[in-house]
Amino acid sequence: MPRITPNLWFDTQGKEAAEFYVSVFPNSKITNVSYYGEAGPRPAGTVLTVDFVLDGQPYTAINGGPEFTFDEAVSFLIDCADQEEVDYYWSRLSEGGQEGPCGWLKDKYGLSWQVVPAVLEELLKDPDAQRAQRAMKAMLGMGKLDVAALRAAADGA
C-alpha cells in the first residue's frame, strides 16, 4: 500500500509549527523545507512546505494562505502508555492552545489532538457493560484524562 502523508494547511506558520511538533515528539525531525519561487503566489523565498517526521510518521506542513483553518473534524490521537505520557503531551501541546473535554485539546496552531491513555480503550470495551459505562461517564466529565480516576470509576469507587 502506498504511504499516506497527512498535509497540514497553515497560513504562514508551517515551519514554526513543524519545529514545535518535532520538539514535542521523540524520534522526530524536519526532513525538507521548500520555498515559493518567482511564480508565486507568495513572495519568492517564503516557506512553501515543510516535510517532517513524528516518530516514523511523515507529515507535510504547507503555507497555503488564510483560506482554510483547522477544526475538530480532524484530530490526531496520541495513544499514551500511562499517566506520565498523558501529562507530558497534554502540557506540551496545550501550551498557548485551548484545553477541551474528554482528552481533547487544540494546540496554538488550532490543530486538534486527543491525548488518551491506552487503558481507556480497555475500560470502554470491558465485557462488563456497567463497568464500561462508569468509565465512559467519568471520561465525559474530564478535561485531561486521569488514569487513576478512570480505573476507580470503572471499579465503582
Side-chain angles (χ1 to χ4, degrees):
M1 179 174 152
R3 180 174 287 265
I4 297 170
T5 302
N7 279 247
L8 306 174
W9 182 291
F10 295 88
D11 180 5
T12 60
Q13 319 90 331
K15 187 169 186 242
E16 176 187 322
E19 289 170 343
F20 173 66
Y21 298 139
V22 302
S23 78
V24 171
F25 294 92
N27 307 312
S28 301
K29 63 183 175 181
I30 291 175
T31 58
N32 186 61
V33 179
S34 67
Y35 300 87
Y36 282 97
E38 295 301 323
R42 294 206 157 171
T46 302
V47 173
L48 170 60
T49 63
V50 181
D51 298 319
F52 60 104
V53 176
L54 301 180
D55 198 23
Q57 170 64 49
Y59 294 84
T60 297
I62 181 169
N63 285 332
E67 294 84 4
F68 304 109
T69 58
F70 299 120
D71 67 32
E72 293 82 357
V74 174
S75 64
F76 294 112
L77 186 141
I78 306 169
D79 189 22
C80 299
D82 53 28
Q83 189 66 52
E84 183 178 354
E85 281 191 0
V86 169
D87 293 346
Y88 169 78
Y89 288 110
W90 185 267
S91 172
R92 289 297 312 275
L93 290 170
S94 66
E95 289 172 8
Q98 180 180 7
E99 296 180 359
C102 308
W104 285 64
L105 63 84
K106 282 188 179 182
D107 67 29
K108 59 187 165 186
Y109 304 102
L111 187 60
S112 292
W113 298 85
Q114 297 177 58
V115 183
V116 180
V119 71
L120 181 63
E121 183 176 2
E122 171 191 319
L123 293 172
L124 297 179
K125 291 182 177 180
D126 194 292
D128 178 342
Q130 293 302 313
R131 191 166 192 272
Q133 286 302 301
R134 288 190 301 266
M136 173 65 87
K137 184 176 180 182
M139 181 204 61
L140 292 173
M142 295 178 182
K144 178 177 74 171
L145 299 182
D146 180 320
V147 173
L150 288 167
R151 286 184 192 275
D155 293 338

